[in-house]
Amino acid sequence: MSITKLAVYCSSSDHIKKSYFDHADALGALMAANNIDLIYGGGMVGLMGQVAKSIKNHRGKTIGVVPEALRIDGVVNTIDDELIITPDMHTRKAKMIKLADGFIGLAGGFGTLEEMLEVMTLKQLGYHEKPIVFLNTEGYYNHLFEMFEHIYAESFAKPDYRQLYHICETPEAAIKYLANYQPPNLPDKWFV
Ligand code: AMP
């Protein structure tokens, strides 16, 4: 399964530590080097803006998918090869999921979390078999992974669902995982 388009979900905040930007930068460079196009929220802000800038600096391709309401000067990126405007947020998320061959979450807030959990939920229900990677910069998501373990321990999800997603500590490891990805054989969601 080769990945040519990767959806990157990540922070829209600029007020975060430099190490998060460094990973966004490195991921962009690796994506361009491996001919992987960026599918993203089309923002020029935060880590979103950093990944896109890095890809363009390395002659890669970026596709922004922006809902009409977020088409705001100073927020929407102007460097993209393609800008897709959708009527609303739901259409935008569905479009990103359809276009991408895989998903990676960098550090982020509620928007990023929602996007990552949505693609995990859809994979759990068998709507897709695409890879999902957390880039766990500075252990940012450790508390979330503890929550996931709590979910398994309390039988709100099957422990096999650890295979829904993969955790990487570096952009290099993430790209390597994506290049070698084979969809897992997951059990039915239901406990019946
Ligand atoms: P957050 O993690 O809350 O900063 O939200 C970032 C995620 O939500 C990104 O992956 C985007 O897809 C989406 N998003 C949030 N704010 C914006 C924005 N101003 N422009 C484009 N996408 C955004």
Side-chain angles (χ1 to χ4, degrees), residues 8-13 41 43 48 70 75 92 108-112 115:
V8 178
Y9 300 133
C10 57
S11 176
S12 58
S13 171
M48 267 189 290
L70 287 182
V75 176
R92 180 253 210 138
F110 298 126
T112 304
E115 291 168 322

Side-chain angles (χ1 to χ4, degrees), residues 109-146:
F110 298 126
T112 304
L113 259 190
E114 191 227 11
E115 291 168 322
M116 287 300 279
L117 289 174
E118 178 173 16
V119 291
M120 282 170 56
T121 308
L122 291 173
K123 191 171 178 177
Q124 183 181 241
L125 292 169
Y127 282 98
H128 73 84
E129 292 191 308
K130 301 175 186 180
I132 300 171
V133 183
F134 283 92
L135 179 52
N136 193 30
T137 308
E138 299 229 6
Y140 175 74
Y141 282 116
N142 287 349
H143 297 295
L144 182 67
F145 303 141
E146 276 171 33

Side-chain angles (χ1 to χ4, degrees), residues 3-10 27 31 36-43 48 51-52 55 61-66 80-82 84 92-106 115 130:
I3 309 289
T4 59
K5 288 186 172 65
L6 182 64
V8 178
Y9 300 133
C10 57
L27 179 73
M31 285 174 65
I36 300 172
D37 299 346
L38 171 69
I39 307 291
Y40 79 124
M48 267 189 290
V51 178
I55 292 189
K61 190 174 169 196
T62 65
I63 302 164
V65 187
V66 181
D80 292 325
D81 296 278
E82 222 179 297
I84 300 171
R92 180 253 210 138
K93 286 195 297 160
K95 183 85 185 164
M96 289 173 73
I97 291 170
K98 193 162 178 225
L99 285 175
D101 307 310
F103 312 96
I104 183 165
L106 279 56
E115 291 168 322
K130 301 175 186 180

